[in-house]
Amino acid sequence: MLNILVLCTGNSARSILAEALLNARGDGRIRAFSAGSSPTGTPNPLALETLVANDLPSDGYRSKSWDEFAGPDAPELDAVITVCDSAAAEVCPVGPGAPVRAHWGLPDPADIETVDAARKAFADTFRALDARILALLAALQGSDHVALQSAFDQIKLQDF
Amino acid sequence: MLNILVLCTGNSARSILAEALLNARGDGRIRAFSAGSSPTGTPNPLALETLVANDLPSDGYRSKSWDEFAGPDAPELDAVITVCDSAAAEVCPVGPGAPVRAHWGLPDPADIETVDAARKAFADTFRALDARILALLAALQGSDHVALQSAFDQIKLQDF
């Protein structure tokens, strides 16, 4: 099981969508979490609406501080993905530990005034994240054999 | 989940021990199977006795042909380990598909006349396989991050 933490600033929109998608598409291989450097305290209702519209569970999501993943009882993380918008000069948080790091910059769909435009922005964000996550999983599937071969090669070098 | 098939000639001793150890030590990451190119039809009683002596389940093992893993309904294999003894000029089977392949040559503990000496040979085989399997799992643990990094790197090259 690979533990992946998705970080953004508010942990209310992009990181919630990415957490939901990683868990849904990961098919038991991935356990995803999300957190923010300055959590808003509540998942954006349009994020939950977007999950429902795409037949994904929308229960149990919380907007929470990344501090929850810094303590001794926190899950050991294999990867951290930041989904804040570098182009908008957002401060992207850096998480604890030494996991693999990736930055998937995406504009904030919550940063839009009219509801109709925001709803479309959430749908676009969902699709962009889904495409990346499906590509990541496909790449990971191929990498499994690379990892196995590497592990067997290390064994060969040892003396049993 | 990584599907690993262990092959030897008779599928009654070494490959049964390896199947049991991979499932026990794999901690949910590995699903192991075993088969033989000329199955004896019955697991060696000393193999099952060795499993019991090491607190591993000894139920449900079968000595069976590798043909079971060649059909369209067979599980998709990630790795095949052969555990026959090249030094004794045994014919090592080659399985179907394109999984990662490894050869862990081990003398046949069943090829010993007196029961006491055979019992000791089974215990030695168990320990040798256990050491390799624990080393493989440790190497695989480290390789998970290599696989993740490789998958993220492939994503970066694409245009989303």
Side-chain angles (χ1 to χ4, degrees):
Chain A
M1 187 76 90
L2 299 171
N3 288 332
I4 301 185
L5 173 64
V6 185
L7 289 178
C8 66
T9 311
N11 187 210
S12 70
R14 291 160 292 186
S15 54
I16 298 281
L17 297 180
E19 174 189 358
L21 277 164
L22 282 165
N23 280 322
R25 310 298 190 221
D27 198 25
R29 176 83 199 274
I30 289 174
R31 182 165 48 186
F33 310 90
S34 70
S37 53
S38 299
T40 64
T42 318
N44 190 303
L46 286 177
L48 303 182
E49 183 187 306
T50 303
L51 294 180
V52 171
N54 286 279
D55 297 322
L56 295 185
S58 64
D59 294 338
Y61 291 100
R62 293 186 300 125
S63 168
K64 58 207 168 296
S65 170
W66 63 354
D67 291 344
E68 289 195 16
F69 295 89
D73 297 332
E76 192 174 334
L77 298 172
D78 297 296
V80 173
I81 306 175
T82 46
V83 290
C84 30
D85 189 359
S86 313
E90 281 185 276
V91 176
C92 287
V94 178
V100 171
R101 296 178 178 284
H103 177 63
W104 289 354
L106 288 170
D108 186 1
D111 190 23
I112 289 176
E113 300 244 328
T114 71
V115 172
D116 280 352
R119 185 170 281 132
K120 183 182 174 308
F122 271 89
D124 289 346
T125 303
F126 182 91
R127 273 195 298 274
L129 284 168
D130 202 12
R132 290 184 198 197
I133 285 165
L134 291 174
L136 178 71
L137 289 167
L140 205 50
Q141 182 88 4
S143 304
D144 266 347
H145 282 207
V146 176
L148 259 174
Q149 185 67 62
S150 157
F152 276 116
D153 289 346
Q154 287 176 57
I155 299 301
K156 275 185 196 164
L157 298 176
Q158 295 177 42
D159 199 14
F160 291 102
Chain B
M1 187 73 90
L2 299 171
N3 288 332
I4 301 185
L5 173 64
V6 185
L7 289 179
C8 66
T9 311
N11 187 210
S12 70
R14 290 161 291 185
S15 54
I16 298 282
L17 296 180
E19 174 189 359
L21 278 164
L22 283 165
N23 280 323
R25 311 297 190 220
D27 198 26
R29 176 85 198 275
I30 288 174
R31 183 166 45 188
F33 310 90
S34 69
S37 53
S38 298
T40 64
T42 318
N44 190 302
L46 287 177
L48 303 182
E49 184 187 304
T50 304
L51 294 179
V52 171
N54 286 278
D55 297 322
L56 295 186
S58 64
D59 294 338
Y61 291 100
R62 290 187 301 123
S63 168
K64 57 206 169 296
S65 169
W66 64 354
D67 292 344
E68 289 194 16
F69 296 88
D73 297 333
E76 193 174 332
L77 298 172
D78 296 297
V80 173
I81 306 175
T82 44
V83 290
C84 29
D85 189 0
S86 313
E90 280 185 277
V91 176
C92 287
V94 179
V100 171
R101 295 179 179 284
H103 177 63
W104 289 356
L106 287 170
D108 186 0
D111 191 22
I112 290 178
E113 299 245 331
T114 71
V115 172
D116 279 351
R119 186 170 280 130
K120 182 181 176 307
F122 271 88
D124 289 346
T125 303
F126 183 91
R127 274 195 298 272
L129 284 167
D130 202 12
R132 291 184 196 196
I133 286 165
L134 291 174
L136 178 72
L137 289 166
L140 205 50
Q141 183 88 2
S143 305
D144 266 348
H145 282 208
V146 176
L148 259 174
Q149 186 66 62
S150 157
F152 276 117
D153 289 345
Q154 286 176 56
I155 299 300
K156 275 186 196 162
L157 298 176
Q158 297 177 42
D159 199 15
F160 291 102

